[in-house]
Amino acid sequence: FSSAEPFRQGVATMFGNCQAMGLDTVIAAVRPFGDALYQSSLFPYSHVMNGTQGQDPGFDPLAIMVQQAHARGLRLEAWVNPYRLQHPTNGPSELAADNPAVVNPGWARTVGGEQWYDPGVPEVRQLVVDGVLEIIRNYQVDGIYFDDYFYPEAADETFDAETFAARQE
């Protein structure tokens, strides 16, 4: 992700390979850690682009991916991880100051060194909805793919028990 042109070239090669294999859809991770691989008014730029969450890479990776996919007749679905914020081995090591979880500390919980949004918090659920709306309003993606298999209930069954119980009344 050093600059737009190497990124564009890498995506073109990758999507060309997908096309050559006869694939019709690419699923691209665009929100891996409560951050974004696109210009967002809700989430900071992702650390996976340049190592620092919130640092503008100077180009829009999702716009490039959509353009390159559609130029090859491929569908592009945006992969969103709605809850994961931090992971001790693959980052980000620090959340950006404007990350919604930093701005609203009651929205997140920590389990085993990992940080997650708590979907029992109504504002978190609205943030997920608003984030999807932002993508579909600003990019011609062909679908949204939700990924929450990382959800921490296996490590701690009480993770969201309090907010879940509050919504059951």
Side-chain angles (χ1 to χ4, degrees):
F1 289 84
S2 60
S3 65
E5 195 50 39
F7 182 79
R8 183 177 286 104
Q9 290 173 4
V11 169
T13 299
M14 186 181 342
F15 289 5
N17 291 338
C18 291
Q19 181 184 31
M21 290 188 296
L23 301 178
D24 64 1
T25 303
V26 174
I27 300 173
V30 300
R31 219 167 60 237
F33 290 96
D35 50 18
L37 279 86
Y38 56 91
Q39 291 182 306
S40 174
S41 65
L42 301 172
F43 302 97
Y45 282 107
S46 181
H47 79 287
V48 301
M49 293 188 280
N50 52 32
T52 303
Q53 189 178 83
Q55 185 176 2
D56 185 343
F59 65 99
D60 189 329
L62 181 54
I64 291 171
M65 289 188 286
V66 168
Q67 187 277 326
Q68 291 293 317
H70 291 170
R72 289 164 179 74
L74 298 169
R75 293 171 43 89
L76 187 113
E77 296 184 4
W79 176 344
V80 173
N81 190 310
Y83 307 127
R84 185 174 61 170
L85 290 164
Q86 282 186 299
H87 187 277
T89 57
N90 56 4
S93 59
E94 189 173 318
L95 298 179
D98 62 345
N99 187 303
V102 173
V103 175
N104 304 285
W107 292 9
R109 308 277 181 264
T110 301
V111 175
E114 299 178 50
Q115 192 172 14
W116 308 85
Y117 279 121
D118 180 348
V121 176
E123 294 85 357
V124 167
R125 293 192 305 272
Q126 189 61 53
L127 180 65
V128 171
V129 170
D130 292 344
V132 169
L133 290 173
E134 179 178 62
I135 293 170
I136 63 173
R137 287 178 178 151
N138 296 324
Y139 300 91
Q140 293 191 357
V141 297
D142 299 295
I144 300 290
Y145 179 85
F146 280 105
D147 173 10
D148 66 352
Y149 75 90
F150 296 109
Y151 198 70
E153 82 284 353
D156 182 354
E157 292 180 8
T158 65
F159 168 76
D160 60 0
E162 184 180 327
T163 54
F164 180 80
R167 298 299 169 264
Q168 301 305 305
E169 298 171 357

